[in-house]
């Protein structure tokens, strides 16, 4: 999971990491480990200005890198941005410190519906608070999809990409899907009315049959290429992350190329994911780490991060501070009814993971 990382604005995160890695000769520091290019342009600077604590900021680009660093040794980090998908593994390994909710002024401002979803991976919400979150859905070229399927194209449904007669027509203008068995197979299972986190091999046989039937109409599986291809009109449909689709839309608008992109959260339900703030059990600077988490929970701090990255955050008081086009987009800030249809993904037993990997290899190769 967690490939939902921004692949956009590439350079900025690297510059921040370099400029802020120089530790102050004196004074307090906090060591932070976050996804590449996944923070506001001024957040770290403002944190130092407001608290006097110097952030030492490093980045990673895959959940495997993060888990490997946290599970094998004392990492030296205080605060880490971990996917909800990684939380069960990290909790089981004893890598995380429980958060002292009573000492966190903005904890009561976290959205209750989101916290209930997150509790599927962090029972009792003991160890993690949402940083940013999003959904997996369908990004599409409004005009090309209408041309292929007519005015009644089922853009609000997984039928758009999982019904063969629809996908066959859309295949003419290009369809892409994430290269991620842990994200795509649960969606296929859910579409078939099966548990998205199933451990039943027979369920996976059904998902495999569905995807192999669709495979001839899918241009490629890739977790970054679809963003630019959607924005410049090279493809007309992609299954991927909400923020990536909004980035493609914004890029097309800035280019003035006439490509109109929309993002749909299918009515049947879809994966919801969270990137969370956690404090490590062996954090060298736990108090400063907690101060950093507190800071990012503040509405006035996290709203500009949401605006920069096109992802919603967990503080319900921040919503009014988020750009109107983002907060009023029901595909990005779902209604309570839509949120109720969303499901979280779970780590699965090794035997099931092997089944998923084998199926994905077959699907990608079109065997």
């Amino acid at each position: 999971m967690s490939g939902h990382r921004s692949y956009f604005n590439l350079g900025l995160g690297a510059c921040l990491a370099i400029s802020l890695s120089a530790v102050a000769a004196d004074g307090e520091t906090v060591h932070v480990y976050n996804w590449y290019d996944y923070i506001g342009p001024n957040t770290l600077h403002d944190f130092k200005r407001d608290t006097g604590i110097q952030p030492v900021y490093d980045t990673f680009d895959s959940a495997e890198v993060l888990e490997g660093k946290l599970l094998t040794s004392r990492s030296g980090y205080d605060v880490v941005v971990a996917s909800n998908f990684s939380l069960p593994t990290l909790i089981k390994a004893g890598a995380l410190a429980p958060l002292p909710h009573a000492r966190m002024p903005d904890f009561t401002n976290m959205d209750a519906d989101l916290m209930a979803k997150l509790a599927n991976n962090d029972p009792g919400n003991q160890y993690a608070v949402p940083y940013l979150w999003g959904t997996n859905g369908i990004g599409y070229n409004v005009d090309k999809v209408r041309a292929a399927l007519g005015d009644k194209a089922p853009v609000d449904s997984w039928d758009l990409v999982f019904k063969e007669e629809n996908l066959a027509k859309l295949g003419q203008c290009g369809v892409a899907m994430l290269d991620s068995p842990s994200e795509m197979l649960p969606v296929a299972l859910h579409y078939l009315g099966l548990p998205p986190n199933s451990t039943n091999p027979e369920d996976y046989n059904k998902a495999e049959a569905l995807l192999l039937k669709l495979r001839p109409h899918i241009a490629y599986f890739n977790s970054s290429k679809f963003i630019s291809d959607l924005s410049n009109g090279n493809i007309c449909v992609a299954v991927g992350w909400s923020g990536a689709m909004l980035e493609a839309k914004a890029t097309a608008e800035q280019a003035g190329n006439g490509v109109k992109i929309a993002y749909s959260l299918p009515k049947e339900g879809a994966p919801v994911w969270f990137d969370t703030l956690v404090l490590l059990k062996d954090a060298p600077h736990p108090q400063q780490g907690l101060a950093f988490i507190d800071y990012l929970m503040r509405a006035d701090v996290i709203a500009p991060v949401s605006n920069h990255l096109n992802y919603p955050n967990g503080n319900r008081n921040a919503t009014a501070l988020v750009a109107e086009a983002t907060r009023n987009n029901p595909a990005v800030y779902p209604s309570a009814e839509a949120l109720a249809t969303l499901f979280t993904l779970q780590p699965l037993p090794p035997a099931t993971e092997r089944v998923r990997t084998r199926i994905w290899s077959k699907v990608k190769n079109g065997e």
Side-chain angles (χ1 to χ4, degrees):
M1 171 105 165
S2 302
H4 43 261
R5 221 41 37 252
S6 298
Y7 287 90
F8 355 111
N9 308 323
L10 289 172
L12 177 66
C15 295
L16 279 169
I18 293 165
S19 63
L20 288 167
S21 284
V23 185
D26 51 5
E28 299 175 303
T29 62
V30 61
H31 292 245
V32 180
Y33 201 34
N34 192 1
W35 288 94
Y36 182 71
D37 191 24
Y38 202 47
I39 199 161
N42 303 313
T43 312
L44 298 172
H45 170 273
D46 292 350
F47 173 73
K48 186 182 180 191
R49 179 198 66 200
D50 294 349
T51 66
I53 301 170
Q54 171 72 58
V56 182
Y57 187 78
D58 292 321
T59 62
F60 56 91
D61 59 8
S62 82
E64 291 73 23
V65 169
L66 170 67
E67 288 183 17
K69 187 155 284 195
L70 299 190
L71 296 176
T72 52
S73 62
R74 296 177 78 86
S75 67
Y77 294 111
D78 301 301
V79 175
V80 166
V81 177
S83 156
N84 62 294
F85 191 73
S86 297
L87 291 176
T89 304
L90 298 174
I91 292 168
K92 188 177 178 184
L96 308 181
L99 294 174
H101 297 164
R103 288 166 44 207
M104 302 170 76
D106 275 291
F107 188 79
T108 55
N109 295 327
M110 293 293 111
D111 185 287
D113 290 337
L114 295 179
M115 296 302 283
K117 295 281 186 192
L118 184 55
N120 291 324
N121 301 104
D122 173 21
N125 297 120
Q126 293 184 74
Y127 296 98
V129 291
Y131 171 52
L132 299 174
W133 64 281
T135 54
N136 289 17
I138 302 169
Y140 62 98
N141 181 312
V142 176
D143 295 326
K144 288 190 174 183
V145 168
R146 185 180 294 133
L149 296 177
D151 289 340
K152 294 187 176 177
V155 293
D156 63 344
S157 168
W158 286 117
D159 282 346
L160 189 75
V161 291
F162 286 127
K163 269 201 168 173
E164 190 178 14
E165 57 264 39
N166 293 334
L167 201 66
K169 293 173 183 172
L170 294 171
Q172 304 300 309
C173 56
V175 175
M177 293 188 178
L178 293 174
D179 183 7
S180 174
S182 63
E183 290 173 278
M184 289 306 306
L185 285 169
V187 171
L189 289 168
H190 183 69
Y191 179 73
L192 292 169
L194 301 168
N197 296 298
S198 176
T199 55
N200 183 346
E202 290 179 17
D203 290 348
Y204 287 93
N205 291 339
K206 294 171 185 170
E208 177 183 347
L210 172 66
L211 290 168
L212 284 174
K213 190 172 66 171
L214 300 172
R215 179 65 184 94
H217 313 297
I218 300 169
Y220 61 80
F221 296 91
N222 187 289
S223 295
S224 56
K225 186 172 184 281
F226 70 91
I227 302 166
S228 58
D229 280 355
L230 204 55
S231 65
N232 62 29
N234 283 355
I235 60 172
C236 59
V237 174
V239 176
W241 312 295
S242 50
M245 303 311 178
L246 290 186
E247 181 68 19
K249 175 181 168 71
T251 301
E253 288 169 356
Q254 287 159 11
N257 60 10
V259 174
K260 294 203 288 280
I261 303 299
Y263 174 70
S264 168
L265 188 57
K267 62 188 178 187
E268 299 90 351
V272 58
W273 50 261
F274 300 89
D275 283 319
T276 69
L277 297 161
V278 296
L279 183 69
L280 298 189
K281 186 176 264 186
D282 60 4
H285 317 96
Q287 295 311 311
Q288 291 80 0
L290 200 56
F292 188 77
I293 292 174
D294 272 340
Y295 189 75
L296 284 178
M297 290 171 73
R298 277 171 41 184
D300 61 317
V301 172
I302 197 63
V305 180
S306 283
N307 285 336
H308 179 62
L309 293 168
N310 293 309
Y311 285 116
N313 60 73
N315 186 330
R316 61 175 184 261
N317 291 350
T319 307
L321 305 176
V322 172
E324 193 175 349
T326 303
R327 72 170 188 263
N328 290 342
N329 184 341
V332 183
Y333 273 82
S335 66
E337 293 76 24
L339 196 62
T341 69
L342 304 180
F343 54 88
T344 51
L345 303 179
Q346 309 281 358
L348 298 178
T352 308
E353 291 289 7
R354 286 193 292 273
V355 169
R356 291 207 298 198
T357 302
R358 177 182 57 75
I359 289 174
W360 198 244
S361 178
K362 284 181 70 174
V363 170
K364 281 179 66 178
N365 295 327
E367 293 176 3

